[in-house]
Amino acid sequence: MNETNELAHDVALSMEPAAHFHLELSNRGVEFQAISPSPLLPTQFLEVAKPGDWGKVASVAKDQAWRWVAGWAEDEGNLFSVSVCLELQGTYLVLRTRTDGGNPFLPSHAPYFVSANRPERHMRDMFGIKFTGHPDPRRWTRHQAWDSETYPLRHAFPKEGQSPGQTPPDKDYPFFKVEGHGVFEIPVGPVHAGIIEPGHFRFHAVGETLLNLEERLCYVHKGIEKIAEGRTAESLARLAGRVSGDTTVGHAFAACLAMERAAGLEVPLRASFIRGLLVELERVINHLWDMAAICNDVAFAFAYYQFGRLRELWLRDNQALFGHRLLMDRIVPGGVNVDVTLESSERITKSIKFLRRELSELVTIHDQNSSLEDRLVAAGHLRVEDAQTLGALGFVGRSSGQSFDVRKDAPYSPYDQLEVTVPVENQGDVASRFWVRYKELWVALKLIEQLLEKMPDGEIATPWVSPPPDAEGLGLVEGWRGEILSYVRFGEDGKISRYYPRDPSIVNWPALEKLVLGNIVPDFPVCNKSVNGSYSGNDL
Amino acid sequence: MFGIYRKILTTGVLTEKFARKKRATQQVALESRETGIDELGKKLQATIDKRFAGSLHIRQVDAGSCNGCELEIHALNNVYYDIERFGVHFVASPRHADVLLVTGPVSRNMEAALRRTYEATANPKWVIAVGDCGACGGEFGVSYASCGAVANVIPVDAVVPGCPPTPLDLMRGILDLFSC
């Protein structure tokens, strides 16, 4: 590195990530406008003037190690806008450009970011926007429910669809072919052999060893983005709570945060604390369940029933204290609709104490079980580099060296007032994903204690006031699976005109395709469970 | 290994009908408050004994659910509800099933798979639509992507509403279907 370069490098390091990004865009001759104040506060925002520069923008982002968080499009009549959210060192930045409504196309971001691959295919299927240079031209969200020339998220497309009658099976999807001596193909799904969501997996194996896995999802696509249009804020919160049932609190939180930011509404601090409490309770029950299920998939029934037992106790606490076992519809625009009384606080504290004692006992047994270790250690290994390339989130990322956690790196209320520790490992296997969950569970218990202890007095909700037409907002929260993004735009009369939720599963599903390679077919269930992507959250 | 046995012994039997002694932990007393399983279970078992020679096989099909219903269906198998003791088993193939327990709304992309699963189930067969979405389309209704209620796609014999229905609601739903 010569002296000038070194100087430039030092300057870059001392700069705020967004400013550094602006600088490099200017250097490469990209015309853009950084909008200030951003309509998506606290997220920064810039508009790229020429759609032809869209690829160059991704190249700059890639060079500066930004993470590609999410992408969504909007039908603006004669134009389509495409927005992409990036993140670097806890700074979020939204980029937007527009393309012609008659013949919409944009340079693809997928050659630079793996996490852009499926979202761009989704945008193409739903809006008809072509992404030039995209490495995978096949459809993704579209099966046979609508034809290739119609696009459900365009305003002209009727909500009820156009093809009455039975939907034919999706039997002609062009799966990748793997050929060679002794290679065989195993199609699995969409209906699986358990109480589990539907999806199709196409395996290629030699003997028992997996050579390739291809996921074919979107079987539970139920048009969430389309049916969100025209809803009231309250009704959107309900819908968000059903993007993925196991993350009902996380999605409702993100959607309400987005709507409140759009409306410039300040939520009472007590409401924020209760929201934090609900999210952490959701983390506890889901981590317990996943730990149980991972053990079950290697036939360690003892732990399955023990962790499952503890989970049921917390579900019953939820029912007794907040009126719903899964905590659905407790978060509403403007705050929450349940309060925390002294008695409930005492009951939770008691449950924490009991859970800690039980976990310590169980984990000793778990740790001493060598046959269990034999199944979990080294199975489903996700390399740190791969996790980084994929932008893996939550416990999947954190088991493979990716420390990002919205609660710590881009804190929002109430986490800006709490101490959050983020357990990270580099081992990357199923065992590691088990242990990271276990550690996160302990962190969640600590957070619940902090939340109860510091719980401020005051109101639990502020009256909802609809924002003017066109107001938009972005909510980012750390759900139990990882970062959840929620984009909302309002239309006339306080009705929603656009909603896009990005569940962490959308980012993490491709990790499963990577980490099963070289494993044996019978280990697939445990590998899958260790990632535990939501089908519903992915398919929308 | 002894650790496992010790833990099993000290945890005791938590299954709610048969929770004989409250010796394990204080928590048990708290847990047993969830009532209704005992009575409901007895009735369920009597019905299954009479009509299905002691065992009822269920194939669960998620035809588009948000996965909330699946969580509660899973809970039927945890130690508190332990629905297997009444003769209710979840099986891996529709070929083995007496009952299809279908959650919805039925997405258009799952429509063909659901029809085929139904056809693959041997007669006599029953279908229980689970959850508000399975019952009437729920939050999702009918759209370009959703057929709504399960009954819009295959014949339904009973409905268990709820968002999601609790494990007790589910047990009651199965009982109601076979009691009449």
Side-chain angles (χ1 to χ4, degrees):
Chain A
M1 206 184 271
N2 66 33
E3 212 169 286
T4 338
N5 271 347
E6 223 169 87
L7 189 67
H9 187 68
D10 286 349
V11 169
L13 279 181
S14 65
M15 276 172 97
E16 206 257 323
H20 187 203
F21 189 71
H22 294 166
L23 182 69
E24 191 56 29
L25 285 185
S26 310
N27 288 347
R28 302 244 195 131
V30 175
E31 276 180 45
F32 69 96
Q33 193 187 1
I35 312 283
S36 180
S38 159
L40 292 171
L41 279 173
T43 303
Q44 305 195 44
F45 182 79
L46 71 82
E47 287 194 354
V48 177
K50 295 179 187 157
D53 282 340
W54 196 238
K56 226 187 264 178
V57 173
S59 149
V60 172
K62 178 77 180 170
D63 290 348
Q64 296 189 354
W66 288 79
R67 182 168 59 85
W68 203 93
V69 177
W72 63 93
E74 285 177 86
D75 182 353
E76 297 185 348
N78 298 328
L79 298 168
F80 288 104
S81 79
V82 172
S83 307
V84 159
C85 180
L86 304 172
E87 181 275 333
L88 179 64
Q89 295 160 13
T91 297
Y92 283 105
L93 173 64
V94 169
L95 319 169
R96 184 171 293 163
T97 192
R98 287 182 173 79
T99 171
D100 177 41
N103 178 26
F105 71 93
L106 277 181
S108 170
H109 282 190
Y112 306 95
F113 296 99
V114 183
S115 48
N117 188 310
R118 288 174 182 175
E120 285 187 348
R121 287 167 73 188
H122 177 71
M123 281 188 253
R124 192 204 43 220
D125 287 356
M126 303 306 283
F127 287 93
I129 300 168
K130 289 179 210 71
F131 287 90
T132 52
H134 193 292
D136 190 346
R138 296 173 302 165
R139 58 200 163 82
W140 175 245
T141 312
R142 183 171 70 80
H143 287 203
Q144 300 296 330
W146 66 92
D147 65 67
S148 62
E149 301 303 315
T150 51
Y151 306 102
L153 286 180
R154 289 190 178 182
H155 289 322
F157 188 96
K159 210 169 270 185
E160 58 278 12
Q162 334 164 285
S163 54
Q166 295 190 6
T167 315
D170 189 28
K171 57 180 195 296
D172 298 322
Y173 186 75
F175 284 98
F176 285 118
K177 290 281 170 225
V178 178
E179 283 165 349
H181 186 67
V183 177
F184 61 96
E185 200 175 77
I186 315 172
V188 177
V191 179
H192 297 302
I195 304 170
I196 180 174
E197 304 185 73
H200 183 91
F201 299 113
R202 188 62 61 104
F203 300 98
H204 290 98
V206 172
E208 286 284 39
T209 308
L210 285 173
L211 286 181
N212 184 49
L213 161 64
E214 189 180 354
E215 296 156 358
R216 174 82 185 113
L217 302 177
C218 300
Y219 281 91
V220 289
H221 173 71
K222 38 195 175 282
I224 287 175
E225 290 166 272
K226 187 79 176 178
I227 62 173
E229 292 172 11
R231 287 188 178 230
T232 60
E234 199 189 0
S235 164
L236 185 75
R238 280 182 63 83
L239 182 65
R242 284 152 186 84
V243 167
S244 178
D246 51 18
T247 319
T248 178
V249 179
H251 275 287
F253 192 170
C256 286
L257 196 58
M259 291 192 282
E260 286 147 9
R261 282 172 176 171
L265 204 66
E266 191 77 37
V267 173
L269 195 56
R270 185 173 179 83
S272 281
F273 267 66
I274 296 174
R275 286 176 173 188
L277 176 68
L278 298 174
V279 168
E280 298 308 321
L281 290 173
E282 183 169 80
R283 200 181 314 277
V284 169
I285 54 175
N286 280 300
H287 280 2
L288 281 171
W289 178 232
D290 274 4
M291 285 157 61
I294 288 173
C295 292
N296 190 45
D297 278 348
V298 292
F300 189 40
F302 166 79
Y304 173 66
Y305 287 111
Q306 290 284 351
F307 288 126
R309 157 178 83 89
L310 297 171
R311 172 176 181 271
E312 176 70 22
L313 294 177
W314 282 67
L315 290 175
R316 290 180 181 190
D317 275 1
N318 285 349
Q319 175 70 44
L321 304 178
F322 304 110
H324 195 285
R325 283 163 59 92
L326 303 178
L327 303 171
M328 274 181 172
D329 307 324
R330 307 297 103 163
I331 295 184
V332 294
V336 291
N337 58 17
V338 280
D339 207 347
V340 177
T341 60
L342 193 62
E343 293 82 61
S344 44
S345 171
E346 275 167 9
R347 176 154 173 185
I348 296 171
T349 312
K350 224 183 200 171
S351 295
I352 291 176
K353 215 170 137 194
F354 180 72
L355 182 59
R356 281 204 180 115
R357 199 170 64 225
E358 290 287 311
L359 282 177
S360 311
E361 214 179 321
L362 287 176
V363 95
T364 317
I365 294 171
H366 197 281
D367 217 12
Q368 288 167 349
N369 195 310
S370 52
S371 65
L372 184 67
E373 192 177 274
D374 197 37
R375 293 295 305 276
L376 302 185
V377 172
H381 181 244
L382 180 68
R383 297 187 314 156
V384 172
E385 308 86 84
D386 287 338
Q388 191 180 6
T389 309
L390 296 167
L393 296 166
F395 42 79
V396 178
R398 290 196 276 275
S399 307
S400 296
Q402 310 307 306
S403 67
F404 183 79
D405 186 317
V406 192
R407 293 174 298 172
K408 190 170 177 72
D409 297 302
Y412 47 99
S413 184
Y415 296 99
D416 49 359
Q417 306 189 21
L418 305 173
E419 211 178 301
V420 186
T421 36
V422 181
V424 183
E425 294 190 0
N426 288 318
Q427 208 178 306
D429 53 7
V430 174
S432 183
R433 287 189 283 281
F434 179 91
W435 288 113
V436 167
R437 280 177 170 94
Y438 178 73
K439 291 174 188 171
E440 286 189 4
L441 185 52
W442 282 86
V443 172
L445 296 180
K446 247 193 194 148
L447 283 169
I448 294 173
E449 284 176 335
Q450 286 185 57
L451 285 159
L452 291 175
E453 193 187 313
K454 296 184 182 174
M455 182 79 64
D457 292 331
E459 297 292 316
I460 57 166
T462 190
W464 172 252
V465 183
S466 295
D470 257 3
E472 49 183 332
L474 194 67
L476 288 141
V477 304
E478 187 77 14
W480 69 277
R481 276 199 183 89
E483 172 200 60
I484 298 171
L485 172 143
S486 195
Y487 172 78
V488 171
R489 182 192 288 278
F490 282 88
E492 302 290 331
D493 305 325
K495 300 285 172 63
I496 303 297
S497 73
R498 180 81 175 102
Y499 169 55
Y500 175 70
R502 205 282 275 117
D503 190 86
S505 307
I506 294 176
V507 179
N508 282 351
W509 269 113
L512 181 65
E513 287 185 339
K514 280 259 178 220
L515 63 86
V516 296
L517 301 183
N519 283 258
I520 57 172
V521 178
D523 268 353
F524 175 72
V526 73
C527 289
N528 188 14
K529 197 71 220 179
S530 75
V531 174
N532 192 12
S534 164
Y535 297 70
S536 185
N538 178 84
D539 301 353
L540 298 182
Chain B
M1 203 63 201
F2 286 119
I4 294 184
Y5 292 138
R6 194 171 53 239
K7 186 65 192 162
I8 291 171
L9 283 172
T10 54
T11 306
V13 177
L14 299 175
T15 307
E16 286 186 319
K17 180 184 173 184
F18 303 114
R20 297 178 189 111
K21 291 180 185 168
K22 298 184 171 67
R23 63 177 172 190
T25 52
Q26 291 178 328
Q27 197 74 13
V28 174
L30 195 73
E31 291 151 14
S32 300
R33 274 187 218 151
E34 182 98 348
T35 53
I37 299 181
D38 188 4
E39 201 187 339
L40 199 58
K42 267 184 201 148
K43 282 190 202 157
L44 186 59
Q45 188 155 32
T47 311
I48 290 171
D49 283 350
K50 203 169 103 194
R51 297 192 55 179
F52 294 93
S55 76
L56 178 73
H57 288 188
I58 295 182
R59 168 70 244 209
Q60 196 268 335
V61 184
D62 174 341
S65 136
C66 75
N67 79 29
C69 289
E70 277 61 36
L71 294 174
E72 293 296 52
I73 294 171
H74 260 297
L76 285 172
N77 282 322
N78 78 28
V79 294
Y80 292 101
Y81 303 100
D82 187 23
I83 197 168
E84 286 224 358
R85 72 192 141 133
F86 307 124
V88 179
H89 307 280
F90 284 89
V91 293
S93 167
R95 297 269 190 230
H96 305 154
D98 303 304
V99 170
L100 294 181
L101 198 62
V102 187
T103 59
V106 181
S107 71
R108 295 286 299 267
N109 291 354
M110 272 302 285
E111 192 185 334
L114 178 62
R115 283 183 207 282
R116 287 175 171 187
T117 307
Y118 180 75
E119 282 157 19
T121 311
N123 277 317
K125 57 188 165 192
W126 292 266
V127 175
I128 304 178
V130 171
D132 287 350
C133 300
C136 68
E139 202 61 37
F140 302 98
V142 176
S143 73
Y144 77 93
S146 163
C147 306
V150 176
N152 292 345
V153 179
I154 55 172
V156 166
D157 301 287
V159 166
V160 186
C163 190
T166 64
L168 284 180
D169 293 338
L170 289 162
M171 281 172 70
R172 217 168 279 131
I174 299 169
L175 182 65
D176 285 350
L177 172 61
F178 296 115
S179 298
C180 49

